[in-house]
Each structure stands twice: as C-alpha cells, then as structure tokens.
Amino acid sequence: MRDRAAEGTVALRVNPIQCEGVGMCAHLAPEVITIDPWGFPMFPLGPLTPEQASQVQRAVNGCPKRALVLDNRR
Ligand code: SF4
C-alpha cells in the first residue's frame, strides 16, 4: 500500500456544516491551522508534507465535531 502522507498527497478538508468554530484544531496543529476572526479554521488547500500531515492528524482526532478529514484522494 502506498503511503500518501509520505508522498505529500494528502490534504486537509473541513466540513463547514459540522464545524462550530471552536478553534481547538489550531491549538493541536499550530504550524498548519490558523483561526479566522470568527473562530473557523484556515489552512493550506494543497497537499500536506508528511510532517504537516502528522501534526494535522492530532487535530483531526481532537476535533470535537469530527469536522476535519485528511483526504487521501489525488
Ligand atoms: S476543532 Fe473542529 S469544530 Fe473546532 S474549529 Fe476546528 S474543525 Fe471546527
């Protein structure tokens, strides 16, 4: 099986319906996710580096609304 994170082909997505703008994700992945003035996450739309993907996985796991997804599609 190919490791998409190692290839830099995973990207972060947010479900805007589920996200409530709590902002916990930015605390769990501060090098990737920032918060806009309303508390909603902002992050690079393109592929993540393996290091970014590792950090973002903590935010995905820690989101209380399960609004973040690491997308493996190309
Ligand atoms: S932790 Fe989840 S619910 Fe909170 S701002 Fe981030 S994505 Fe949205």
Side-chain angles (χ1 to χ4, degrees):
M1 180 198 283
R2 295 162 57 187
D3 185 343
R4 298 279 191 195
E7 295 175 357
T9 59
V10 296
L12 183 61
R13 306 276 183 252
V14 62
N15 181 327
I17 305 295
Q18 289 178 266
C19 176
E20 291 190 344
V22 179
M24 185 178 296
C25 50
H27 294 287
L28 295 171
E31 294 173 18
V32 181
I33 303 173
T34 57
I35 295 298
D36 75 9
W38 297 274
F40 292 96
M42 300 187 300
F43 46 81
L45 296 179
L48 301 173
T49 66
E51 294 77 21
Q52 289 174 321
S54 174
Q55 187 177 116
V56 163
Q57 186 64 59
R58 288 199 306 267
V60 169
N61 294 342
C63 173
K65 302 305 292 182
R66 297 288 183 244
L68 292 172
V69 175
L70 270 177
D71 187 353
N72 291 323
R73 290 179 293 169
R74 286 189 165 226

